[in-house]
Each structure stands twice: as C-alpha cells, then as structure tokens.
Amino acid sequence: MSTKETVVTAPGIVSERAGGVQPLINPAALQILAEDVGPETAASFSRAFVRLWPRRRDSLIAALGQDDYAAAHDAALSLRTSSAMVGASRLAGLAGQLERCLRAEGTAAATRFLPSILECGPHTLSRLSNDSGS
C-alpha cells in the first residue's frame, strides 16, 4: 500500500510523492532562484552551498555527537533551508526529517538520519557543481 505525502521542496514549490524518494536536485527551484536573484547570483549561491557543505556537515555531526539540542537544531535548520534554496530537494527533505525527529524525540533519535545525510551530501554537491559548471 502506498502512502501519499506532500513535501515542500523549496519556497513556493510543493510536490506530492507516493512512497518515493525526493529528487536529488529540483531544477524548478534552481530556475525560480535564478529568476528571483539573477542567474549569476543563483550560480554564486550554488557554489557557496558546495563550499559550505563541510562546515554544515561537521556542525551537525558535532552537535548530535555532543547531544547538543540547540546546536543540532541550528545545524539542521541551516542545512534544510540552504538546501531548499539551491534546489537540493533530497538533502532538504532529509534535514527536515532530522529536524522533526529532533524536536519530537531528541538528539539521540535524530542521529539515525545522519548516515543518509552524509551519503546524500556528496552526490548533491557533485550534481550542483556539474550543473553550475564550476
């Protein structure tokens, strides 16, 4: 039996999926960003996202490892919003799941999302780097 879920992938973009996996990159979100801020600025945001990934990843790992709820929440929120902004739908979804679990069950339970985030991150960076030509 499939379940249908509405997922916000980026500001103004809602997708419905039936038990599937979010796309790695949502080209519509990138297009909207380019229309809003211009193609050069959108490409700059994508490059900054790629450059800041290690810091965001390490902050999330450290906060969860130290059982620091506030820092973990900040790190998850930063990852979710920045991912959504550049169209990294799957990573934004995973960060959102971690964030919801963190609020509902705490840091120990939220760590179960870390392996998926750590696996998804490099694939996302590769696609964003290839798509932006950097």
Side-chain angles (χ1 to χ4, degrees), residues 9-131:
T9 57
I13 298 176
V14 177
S15 69
E16 290 189 351
R17 60 186 171 98
V21 175
Q22 287 279 66
L24 195 61
I25 301 296
N26 180 345
L30 288 170
Q31 181 62 36
I32 289 171
L33 180 62
E35 290 171 4
D36 286 348
V37 299
E40 290 177 18
T41 303
S44 177
F45 283 158
S46 290
R47 287 189 301 273
F49 180 85
V50 169
R51 188 179 66 252
L52 292 171
W53 163 251
R55 185 181 316 161
R56 287 190 177 108
R57 176 200 62 213
D58 294 349
S59 293
L60 188 58
I61 291 169
L64 290 171
Q66 295 168 4
D67 197 25
D68 185 337
Y69 176 88
H73 186 264
D74 287 348
L77 179 63
S78 173
L79 181 59
R80 180 178 57 81
T81 57
S82 62
S83 295
M85 186 175 79
V86 299
S89 299
R90 190 175 306 163
L91 196 54
L94 290 168
Q97 288 176 327
L98 185 145
E99 191 179 359
R100 286 187 296 280
C101 181
L102 181 65
R103 283 193 305 266
E105 301 176 47
T107 54
T111 60
R112 72 177 178 254
F113 293 98
L114 199 52
S116 296
I117 289 171
L118 297 178
E119 181 180 342
C120 183
H123 297 295
T124 301
L125 301 182
S126 177
R127 274 290 301 280
L128 284 172
S129 294
N130 291 335
D131 290 351

